[in-house]
Amino acid sequence: MATRKKAAKAKAKTAAKKPTKKVVKLKAVKKPTAKAANGNGLPRPSSKAWGQAGKALEGVKILDFTHVQSGPTCTQLLAYMGADVIKVERPGVGDITRTQLRDVKDADSLYFTMLNGSKRSITIDSKHPKGKEILERLIKHCDVLVENFAPGALDRMGLTWDYIHKTNPRMIVASVKGFGPGPYEDCKVYENIAQCAGGSASTTGFREGPPLVTGAQIGDSGTGLHLALGIVTALYQRVRTGRGQKVLAAMQDGVLNLSRVKLRDQQRLTHGPLREYSQFGEGIPFGKATPRAGNDSGGGQPGWILKCKGWEDDPDAYIYFITQAPVWTAICDLIGKPEWKTDADFATPPARLPRLRMIFDTIEEWTKTKTKFEVMEICNQHDIPVGPILSMKEIAEEASLRDTGTVVEVDHPVRGKYLTVGNPVKLSDSPADVRRSPLLGEHTEEILRKVLGYSEKQVAEIKVSGAITAPEKPAKAAAA
Ligand code: CAO
């Protein structure tokens, strides 16, 4: 180390002796400050150990007015990334999901706990005059207001864009709505409505059956993800402009974005049948719109779900098998059909398209002799893309998902230990901080005092005002 330092000093000396243009120029350059060390105005690269330089969104304060699923998904992700998320809930009631689908008596439901971890909860009646005053302070304090109320609800609270922007011009106001501007903009929307209106349901399921909704919550959680991207982008733009903006993620738009390959197929239809759909191989004519394609692969590589050993008793003993063209010969050898490698009816992808059903039936005869994990292991040795159909039980017990923090066990003071989904996006310098969900109003006092600066006396006044507490229920005697 010492020798290296010496060598560097010597080198610097020699350089200084040479009166070159370069050296003169260097002398003229001002020593860069820690804040602006390069042309981009970025600070010098941190010398702290990875993960020790603060969280990605540290310092970002979120006023979280979300409920149910779409909005809470968004703000939970921002919390995982390091933002301080202050969830505002109605006194005595809270997010409706606290009591929905309850599995443990008197404990917040998993619906709520799994979507609201890593946040703080404050109860405020947003329609109470004192509540409005507290909200005004929160608006001045925070960077982003996130909400997914029914259209018009935020305005009815008096929290219009004009008011918020005037109160805090830097504030970003981010909303999830069912639809964007247009004929349906005033409609309330839940997950499955979005799946139907966004083009997912009409293209999901089997051709001979009705439209189907998917188990994945692409309308709610999918739109929450879109909104989170909009928020961080608006935060980035604010660095340049200094002002906030409105961010809107409509659930119909979010679902359509996730279903874009089906809009691709809609346009391809005008140029002829969709040859990779098994409907084509079965000789069934196409209609005017993208049809439902069962378990056909969405891409150009044909795939299908095949039975594996034990399928008679286990509803998830299946594997997704893709007959990817580059590994076709390996597939032929594995399933005992080496002659298909050279047979003109099977040797090329176009030749196989009209025979997909028969090909998958033949592959299935082989997969049925193995468990899904055995198929996985064998196929992976040959680079054949396959994926086991994993049950939620198997996922909950999967050690590797625990190791990566994608499935996390947290402890809750009322319900005890439960599993939640951690941050699905991994940042190498900002490890996610996955904490349990807050109890209703758990941080009300803490936020009033430490964040908003109310004195002890003022907090006592707020408490009796009814702005942060549930209205008293009439006593039994009085009621009788
Ligand atoms: N203090 C006082 N009032 C409060 C409050 C608080 N802290 N928090 C909420 N409220 C009030 C709202 O002001 C609203 O009152 P008004 O309608 O009288 O003005 C009321 O609670 C209910 O709000 P809402 O209309 O949003 O709730 P809902 O249960 O009737 O509808 C939903 C739910 C999800 C259909 C609707 O919010 C919606 O369409 N949101 C946009 C789309 C969306 O996110 N959908 C996904 C939901 S997850 O499947």
Side-chain angles (χ1 to χ4, degrees):
M1 187 73 181
T3 340
R4 224 188 297 157
K5 265 189 184 167
K6 263 186 190 170
K9 260 190 176 176
K11 208 175 169 193
K13 250 187 174 178
T14 339
K17 272 181 191 167
K18 283 184 196 163
T20 61
K21 221 177 170 185
K22 202 176 168 191
V23 173
V24 174
K25 206 175 169 192
L26 272 175
K27 274 184 182 167
V29 171
K30 265 192 185 172
K31 203 180 168 207
T33 62
K35 270 211 151 170
N38 64 23
N40 298 325
L42 291 173
R44 288 166 193 264
S46 172
S47 56
K48 290 189 177 160
W50 295 109
Q52 301 298 313
K55 297 276 191 305
L57 293 182
E58 199 172 283
V60 174
K61 290 154 287 187
I62 310 281
L63 177 50
D64 181 4
F65 251 124
T66 67
H67 64 157
V68 204
Q69 187 185 158
S70 61
T73 314
C74 165
T75 51
Q76 181 168 265
L77 277 171
L78 300 175
Y80 286 168
M81 302 291 189
D84 180 12
V85 177
I86 298 173
K87 181 166 172 114
V88 178
E89 297 182 81
R90 202 174 345 187
V93 184
D95 187 325
I96 193 171
T97 59
R98 282 189 186 265
T99 53
Q100 272 180 347
L101 311 177
R102 255 188 179 154
D103 57 326
V104 176
K105 196 171 175 283
D106 296 333
D108 288 331
S109 72
L110 285 165
Y111 195 176
F112 177 84
T113 54
M114 290 180 71
L115 284 161
N116 291 284
S118 303
K119 307 178 187 177
R120 299 200 270 179
S121 166
I122 180 171
T123 49
I124 305 174
D125 180 347
S126 61
K127 290 168 183 162
H128 188 287
K130 196 78 189 163
K132 281 176 192 279
E133 187 195 302
I134 300 169
L135 277 173
E136 187 170 304
R137 281 208 197 190
L138 273 169
I139 289 169
K140 284 181 181 153
H141 169 81
C142 290
D143 301 282
V144 190
L145 185 156
V146 192
E147 63 93 21
N148 68 310
F149 290 125
L154 199 66
D155 286 359
R156 287 195 292 278
M157 287 179 183
L159 301 179
T160 60
W161 162 253
D162 288 345
Y163 164 78
I164 296 168
H165 187 63
K166 208 171 149 202
T167 309
N168 177 1
R170 293 176 181 275
M171 176 156 270
I172 291 154
V173 178
S175 306
V176 169
K177 292 287 166 265
F179 294 93
Y184 306 123
E185 64 187 303
D186 291 329
C187 299
K188 285 185 177 179
V189 167
Y190 281 104
E191 171 70 47
N192 290 347
I193 298 175
Q195 288 198 23
C196 294
S200 173
S202 68
T203 52
T204 303
F206 288 88
R207 197 180 50 252
E208 52 281 4
L212 268 193
V213 293
T214 71
Q217 305 287 281
I218 58 175
D220 279 338
S221 290
T223 309
L225 261 168
H226 283 92
L227 191 71
L229 173 63
I231 290 169
V232 290
T233 309
L235 280 168
Y236 191 69
Q237 187 173 4
R238 194 183 69 166
V239 173
R240 237 182 332 104
T241 63
R243 66 182 182 202
Q245 61 183 297
K246 289 189 271 184
V247 180
L248 170 67
M251 294 168 77
Q252 182 185 39
D253 301 8
V255 171
L256 176 60
N257 186 35
L258 299 176
S259 308
R260 68 171 54 213
V261 297
K262 299 297 179 181
L263 184 57
R264 172 200 69 192
D265 292 350
Q266 179 63 43
Q267 297 171 85
R268 288 172 60 222
L269 253 185
T270 56
H271 300 286
L274 306 171
R275 290 167 174 269
E276 78 284 12
Y277 280 49
S278 39
Q279 166 172 356
F280 171 72
E282 290 162 33
I284 298 165
F286 283 79
K288 291 199 168 97
T290 310
R292 293 186 269 290
N295 288 319
D296 283 337
S297 168
Q301 305 288 350
W304 199 256
I305 288 183
L306 306 178
K307 290 171 183 155
C308 291
K309 197 172 178 178
W311 66 272
E312 299 91 337
D313 305 312
D314 177 356
D316 298 310
Y318 288 83
I319 191 123
Y320 199 93
F321 198 107
I322 297 184
T323 54
Q324 195 204 15
V327 287
W328 174 245
T329 54
I331 295 171
C332 295
D333 286 335
L334 265 187
I335 63 169
K337 286 281 177 194
E339 64 276 19
W340 280 3
K341 291 191 276 189
T342 47
D343 185 330
D345 281 350
F346 297 92
T348 63
R352 291 196 286 276
L353 284 179
R355 297 173 181 80
L356 285 179
R357 175 61 67 92
M358 178 262 193
I359 289 171
F360 281 120
D361 284 349
T362 309
I363 300 174
E364 192 172 60
E365 287 311 308
W366 176 75
T367 57
K368 273 188 339 197
T369 65
K370 316 251 173 306
T371 68
K372 59 188 176 189
F373 296 112
E374 285 166 350
V375 176
M376 180 87 178
E377 200 181 324
I378 296 168
C379 287
N380 277 340
Q381 288 166 18
H382 299 276
D383 279 341
I384 301 167
V386 292
I389 308 307
L390 293 182
S391 68
M392 273 301 157
K393 184 172 184 300
E394 287 164 328
I395 287 173
E397 291 163 359
E398 173 62 49
S400 65
L401 292 175
R402 302 284 183 103
D403 292 346
T404 56
T406 298
V407 175
V408 185
E409 187 178 76
V410 284
D411 206 357
H412 188 275
V414 184
R415 71 160 34 253
K417 289 189 166 46
Y418 69 95
L419 289 184
T420 192
V421 182
N423 195 349
V425 186
K426 319 294 186 208
L427 276 70
S428 66
D429 205 11
S430 180
D433 188 11
V434 181
R435 284 171 281 126
R436 70 163 172 88
S437 62
L439 301 173
L440 179 59
E442 185 176 341
H443 306 98
T444 303
E445 271 204 58
E446 175 184 306
I447 293 165
L448 289 177
R449 289 232 184 105
K450 296 193 182 151
V451 177
L452 302 179
Y454 283 104
S455 68
E456 204 167 318
K457 190 168 163 258
Q458 286 171 318
V459 171
E461 280 165 14
I462 291 171
K463 272 186 188 165
V464 292
S465 74
I468 58 168
T469 45
E472 297 253 330
K473 282 188 189 138
K476 268 189 185 161

